[in-house]
Amino acid sequence: MIYLALRNLHIACVVLSGTGFALRGLWMLGESPLLGRRWVRIVPHLVDSVLLASAVALAVTSGQYPLAQHWLTAKVVALLAYILCGTMALKRGRSRAVRCFFFVVALLVFGYIVSVAMARSPFGVFVALV
């Protein structure tokens, strides 16, 4: 019962986090003043903190850990890539073209992370090809 509640919380946070990132990326591309709003800077950190806490709780509850489970290791490595690309897209990219490139790459990495979780394989959506 606790596992299912944690899993549902985690999935809800994934949806909120991904949707929030996509929205902020679109605002960045459109140079929207909404991107500078206080709540836009705070809410993603809250959602991502709950997302991380639920991930750790799921790992502990299920006894599945990165390095022991290849698909979890792939998710953690991809998460680091997603964070780096997202930072470049929303903050550190020096030009609009660079930000746009990293925004697209971050969205692709996010999709990969979701596909790895769904397939429980480091190959994600490509697991059928292996």
Side-chain angles (χ1 to χ4, degrees), residues 43-60:
V43 170
H45 294 295
L46 296 175
V47 171
D48 291 343
S49 294
V50 174
L51 179 60
L52 179 60
S54 65
V56 171
L58 278 170
V60 171

Side-chain angles (χ1 to χ4, degrees), residues 17-81:
S17 182
T19 302
F21 175 74
L23 185 59
R24 288 181 292 141
L26 291 173
W27 286 345
M28 176 271 303
L29 292 174
E31 298 177 357
S32 173
L34 292 172
L35 198 55
R37 296 261 172 108
R38 181 178 170 94
W39 71 268
V40 174
R41 293 189 316 265
I42 294 172
V43 170
H45 294 295
L46 296 175
V47 171
D48 291 343
S49 294
V50 174
L51 179 60
L52 179 60
S54 65
V56 171
L58 278 170
V60 171
T61 303
S62 68
Q64 297 183 53
Y65 303 100
L67 300 178
Q69 300 289 328
H70 297 303
W71 68 276
L72 282 176
T73 304
K75 275 183 64 173
V76 170
V77 170
L79 175 63
L80 295 174

Side-chain angles (χ1 to χ4, degrees), residues 77-123:
V77 170
L79 175 63
L80 295 174
Y82 172 69
I83 291 168
L84 290 172
C85 290
T87 300
M88 291 298 293
L90 297 179
K91 292 182 183 178
R92 304 205 189 286
R94 292 183 186 255
S95 69
R96 193 164 185 263
V98 168
R99 287 179 176 220
C100 183
F101 171 78
F102 279 106
F103 177 59
V104 171
V105 173
L107 290 175
L108 290 172
V109 173
F110 182 84
Y112 169 75
I113 293 169
V114 170
S115 75
V116 166
M118 292 176 70
R120 292 192 176 216
S121 166
F123 299 107

